[in-house]
Amino acid sequence: MTTASTKNEHSDGAIQSYTDRIEILLTGFRLVVLVVLSMTLASLNVLPAQHSVLISLSGLAIGAVISAFCAIKRVRNRFVPWALATVDVGLLLHCLFVASVSLGLPLDVALSTPGAWLIFIYLIMGVLRLNAPLVLYSGSLFVVGWYAITVAIPLTPGNTDIAHATGHFVQAGAANEALRAFVILVSTMALAAAAWHSKRSLTNSLREAASRERLAAHFPKAILDRLLLSRTKRPDLVHAKAAIIFVDICGFTALSETMAAGILAEFLADYRSRVAKAVSEHEGIVDKFIGDGVLVVFGLPDSRHDDAHRALECVLKLRTDLAMWIRSNDLPELKNISFGIGVHYGDVIAGLIGDQERVEYTVLGDTVNVAARLQQLANANGGDTVLSEEFMVAAGLLRSEYADWISSTPVRGRKGMINVIRISGSKVMAA
């Protein structure tokens, strides 16, 4: 089974792939901020009056170019997003400061400056990256920077009176600005929580999808769904009534000696898909493929009243489909191919068997053993279908319907005789 570290690597890789794709969108966001901020400052005549703001706008443009380059080249340096966030927030604060000075606004109401709320776009960028720490950093950096503009800058050599700086902070409108800063902080924490939750949900989904993909190669879908829904690590073995079908290619060993490996693999894959399709159409499950053999079960994971009847319909259709497929095949090696099918119905034990290294879903019991022996008997007769009387009764057939073809036969490894019938061609005859 796959280790936890491998699962983590798979999910981390998928999240990194998501981040690579989202970087193009983030570049677009940076361009939006640049355009909106430039238009706002130009409409307020800040650009003509304060040429220093061009430095910040140029810096934001360079940041957008760097972002686009990293997205296209898939630069995955974990420090790049933090560096870009620092530059983005710092230059936005500089633009707000210059705009406040140019418009004659008190520094303590800098958040009232048009363009201040563009900070939320940068916060959203952190959310799209699924990077909660980056969201917290960007929001906190903006608020701390705003307080630095509000309190620290008035404390210049020409204006060192702390009371004067404090007066600026508590004057009319300052409380409203503090409230705005508080809203930004709360929004930052909420968006960071959203980013953390989204990343956690995505990680769990990716791990579950990866686990399901790996398990799908070993378990039938119906069984896999049950395992994934189970709260226990390994569900207990269950006792059930089930119809067991074994399908096998007669003479496959000899065929594999004469047929090219590539053609043989293609033939085997086609054969398996046809068996699986017939089983699926009748709502059974393919428990496992064993070389050219197939173990099919009707009655698991949930028992139904018509399990044996559906199994019989599946067997009859499977015989017809496989025969038509062989007749239509152009390869001369396949013209004499036949299939042995053994079917029995009774009590089985089913569940997960194995250790930490390998686990498989297994059906056990005398019913399985008898079905396997009946399939061997079918092969020995040149490719027939051998059905037990227990199966015929469970399928709802009256004994009068097959009494003329019933016979008793010994089963290797089992005491006593078993009543069976054999389907050969389109007729039913004694085994």
Side-chain angles (χ1 to χ4, degrees):
M1 302 297 284
T2 305
T3 63
S5 60
T6 303
K7 292 180 180 179
N8 291 337
E9 289 175 3
H10 184 277
S11 60
D12 291 344
I15 291 176
Q16 184 61 64
S17 178
Y18 161 82
T19 305
D20 289 341
R21 294 193 299 271
I22 210 70
E23 285 298 332
I24 297 293
L25 178 62
L26 300 185
T27 298
F29 278 17
R30 284 193 167 84
L31 291 175
V32 168
V33 172
L34 176 62
V35 172
V36 171
L37 192 58
S38 299
M39 293 178 63
T40 301
L41 295 177
S43 66
L44 296 173
N45 293 320
V46 174
L47 285 177
Q50 300 288 340
H51 296 295
S52 62
V53 79
L54 292 174
I55 298 175
S56 294
L57 295 178
S58 299
L60 292 174
I62 293 173
V65 172
I66 293 175
S67 177
F69 174 81
C70 292
I72 295 172
K73 296 297 184 180
R74 295 195 174 185
V75 177
R76 295 180 175 179
N77 189 306
R78 61 191 181 94
F79 296 108
V80 170
W82 293 85
L84 289 175
T86 303
V87 172
D88 290 338
V89 175
L91 294 180
L92 176 61
L93 284 169
H94 179 257
C95 288
L96 298 180
F97 168 73
V98 173
S100 298
V101 172
S102 178
L103 296 174
L105 296 175
L107 293 179
D108 52 355
V109 293
L111 290 184
S112 298
T113 305
W117 298 109
L118 290 173
I119 181 59
F120 284 103
I121 293 184
Y122 290 131
L123 297 180
I124 292 172
M125 289 168 63
V127 174
L128 290 175
R129 277 199 177 96
L130 305 180
N131 193 331
L134 186 62
V135 175
L136 290 173
Y137 172 73
S138 299
S140 301
L141 181 62
F142 182 82
V143 173
V144 169
W146 174 77
Y147 272 104
I149 291 175
T150 301
V151 177
I153 290 182
L155 297 178
T156 59
N159 186 20
T160 56
D161 187 357
I162 185 66
H164 180 73
T166 304
H168 271 287
F169 185 68
V170 298
Q171 68 180 357
N176 186 46
E177 291 302 294
L179 178 60
R180 295 190 187 197
F182 176 74
V183 170
I184 292 177
L185 277 177
V186 172
S187 300
T188 296
M189 290 185 287
L191 290 171
W196 176 83
H197 180 74
S198 298
K199 183 175 182 179
R200 183 181 180 185
S201 298
L202 179 60
T203 300
N204 291 338
S205 298
L206 289 170
R207 288 177 180 173
E208 181 178 345
S211 296
R212 187 183 185 91
E213 183 179 350
R214 286 188 294 271
L215 291 172
H218 304 285
F219 301 109
K221 182 179 182 301
I223 301 300
L224 178 59
D225 292 339
R226 179 65 58 86
L227 292 178
L228 293 176
L229 289 174
S230 175
R231 294 184 178 182
T232 59
K233 185 176 182 181
R234 183 169 299 177
D236 295 332
L237 296 176
V238 298
H239 295 260
K241 291 276 190 182
I244 304 297
I245 304 172
F246 274 96
V247 186
D248 187 72
I249 302 175
C250 299
F252 181 76
T253 301
L255 178 68
S256 62
E257 293 176 354
T258 59
M259 186 178 290
I263 299 177
L264 181 65
E266 184 178 349
F267 163 74
L268 191 59
D270 198 2
Y271 156 70
R272 288 181 170 184
S273 68
R274 291 174 185 276
V275 174
K277 180 180 179 182
V279 173
S280 177
E281 288 176 353
H282 293 86
E283 301 178 76
I285 63 170
V286 174
D287 181 77
K288 58 176 61 69
F289 292 102
I290 313 168
D292 61 311
V294 188
L295 171 56
V296 177
V297 182
F298 282 80
L300 292 172
D302 297 307
S303 178
R304 290 164 51 176
H305 71 280
D306 62 343
D307 288 328
H309 179 71
R310 287 184 290 107
L312 179 59
E313 291 184 336
C314 176
V315 168
L316 297 177
K317 177 174 175 54
L318 188 58
R319 283 171 44 80
T320 302
D321 290 349
L322 291 177
M324 292 178 60
W325 171 50
I326 292 300
R327 283 197 298 268
S328 64
N329 201 296
D330 296 330
L331 294 175
E333 301 96 321
L334 302 181
K335 293 304 180 182
N336 296 320
I337 282 293
S338 60
F339 303 90
I341 302 176
V343 190
H344 189 42
Y345 182 87
D347 295 318
V348 298
I349 300 173
L352 295 179
I353 301 294
D355 53 28
Q356 294 181 348
E357 297 298 324
R358 180 177 177 82
V359 176
E360 65 176 1
Y361 187 83
T362 302
V363 182
L364 305 170
D366 182 62
T367 301
V368 180
N369 297 334
V370 171
R373 296 292 184 259
L374 296 183
Q375 177 263 307
Q376 293 170 2
L377 178 61
N379 277 19
N381 289 335
D384 296 336
T385 298
V386 180
L387 316 169
S388 70
E389 185 176 16
E390 288 88 342
F391 170 71
M392 300 299 285
V393 171
L397 276 73
L398 299 176
R399 185 168 184 145
S400 58
E401 298 181 61
Y402 56 85
D404 293 340
W405 305 287
I406 193 169
S407 67
S408 296
T409 184
V411 174
R412 183 167 58 87
R414 190 171 188 264
K415 294 181 179 180
M417 307 287 281
I418 182 171
N419 292 334
V420 299
I421 64 171
R422 174 166 58 92
I423 304 176
S424 181
S426 60
K427 298 181 180 180
V428 177
M429 59 187 69

